[in-house]
Amino acid sequence: MIKRKNILKIAIDSPAAAGAGTLARAISKYYNLFYLDTGKIYRFIAYLKIKYPKKFNNKFIEKKIKLLKIKDLADQNLLADEVGTEASIISKIKSIRKMVHSFQINFAYNPPKKYKGSCLDGRDITYNIVPDADFKFYITANVKTRAHRRYKELKGLKKKITYQEVLKSIKKRDKSDFSRKISPLKKTKDSLLINTTNLNKRSCFLKIKKIIDRKINN
């Protein structure tokens, strides 16, 4: 695998709906980094399983991942609650994780030339995908705040769902992410903790920007 030299690599881990995606996109735009929401890849595979249950096997997944483009991950269907639940089951399968990991690592270390580096967010990025990242962040918020954010997001997409359903879904997702045997969600010692419970998007962005600027401008 080709590894571009002298690129900026940022790794972010977080539980569901903590605001990591929003922050990662803002950071990527500001520093001209290639952004990859790694959780969306598992959602993409989960969606394939729901849509093509009879075709769904490792060979089918491998073919789809090889053809996968970033724009495919912007599909609104991937945000459905049932897709998220299925994604947390799929992410525990070793063979699928192996395929997804190869895709992620390639994008992290070999972003398109027009970018100055890469920014990935997910569950095991800081210790499994980009262990030598220049910056590692663990972004979190309390479960009710996260459920409220996801509920607002889904209502904005005209999804028929209640706050209680979203809260239950996020608690279930947390349990799955933290307790799975393969690549569980955890905060590494070298990751900086950012709690977004009482911070708005701009405050979070400025906090992270200050940390990054202090190091890269020295």
Side-chain angles (χ1 to χ4, degrees):
M1 183 190 71
I2 302 163
K3 282 192 177 185
R4 270 182 65 192
K5 290 177 182 176
N6 304 317
I7 60 169
L8 177 64
K9 298 185 297 294
I10 297 175
I12 300 171
D13 285 327
S14 77
T22 304
L23 276 171
R25 276 189 291 273
I27 293 162
S28 300
K29 191 177 178 183
Y30 186 84
Y31 293 101
N32 188 29
L33 305 175
F34 178 75
Y35 169 60
L36 181 63
D37 176 351
T38 62
K40 283 275 181 73
I41 305 167
Y42 291 104
R43 281 179 172 264
F44 174 76
I45 297 167
Y47 181 64
L48 291 176
K49 187 181 178 183
I50 293 163
K51 199 175 178 184
Y52 308 104
K54 289 178 182 175
K55 288 184 182 179
F56 195 80
N57 57 37
N58 279 358
K59 204 171 180 180
F60 177 76
I61 300 162
E62 200 170 358
K63 187 183 171 187
K64 290 290 184 182
I65 288 177
K66 276 182 181 172
L67 298 169
L68 183 62
K69 300 283 185 291
I70 293 304
K71 66 175 190 292
D72 299 330
L73 303 179
D75 187 343
Q76 300 282 333
N77 290 312
L78 304 189
L79 293 171
D81 220 41
E82 61 169 335
V83 175
T85 303
E86 191 61 57
S88 68
I89 297 164
I90 277 170
S91 64
K92 293 177 183 177
I93 302 167
K94 203 171 184 177
S95 59
I96 291 178
R97 282 204 89 85
K98 205 172 176 182
M99 285 185 259
V100 173
H101 280 184
S102 301
F103 180 89
Q104 292 172 1
I105 289 164
N106 181 46
F107 272 78
Y109 290 95
N110 190 26
K113 290 282 190 286
K114 64 177 180 176
Y115 296 102
K116 290 180 180 177
S118 61
C119 177
L120 280 73
D121 78 292
R123 302 291 185 266
D124 63 342
I125 311 303
T126 56
Y127 69 91
N128 208 13
I129 307 299
V130 199
D132 63 343
D134 302 285
F135 296 95
K136 296 182 182 183
F137 297 102
Y138 183 87
I139 294 167
T140 191
N142 70 45
V143 72
K144 287 183 178 178
T145 300
R146 291 189 283 125
H148 184 66
R149 286 174 185 165
R150 179 56 54 84
Y151 173 68
K152 271 178 76 177
E153 182 185 11
L154 293 171
K155 290 303 278 183
L157 295 167
K158 305 284 188 283
K159 303 282 181 186
K160 287 183 178 178
I161 196 161
T162 68
Y163 166 76
Q164 286 303 323
E165 285 171 329
V166 176
L167 181 63
K168 190 180 174 184
S169 173
I170 284 188
K171 283 180 177 177
K172 190 177 177 184
R173 189 79 202 262
D174 280 357
K175 192 178 178 184
S176 175
D177 287 340
F178 285 109
S179 64
R180 67 173 178 238
K181 287 178 182 175
I182 306 166
S183 305
L185 171 62
K186 61 182 180 183
K187 183 197 170 296
T188 61
K189 284 182 181 176
D190 57 351
S191 294
L192 290 162
L193 177 71
I194 308 282
N195 191 316
T196 69
T197 303
N198 299 311
L199 294 174
N200 61 29
K201 290 174 192 176
R202 178 142 184 86
S203 300
C204 291
F205 170 74
L206 291 173
K207 196 171 186 177
I208 289 175
K209 180 184 175 293
K210 192 177 177 182
I211 293 163
I212 294 170
D213 287 348
R214 196 184 298 145
K215 189 174 175 181
I216 64 172
N217 294 332
N218 273 350

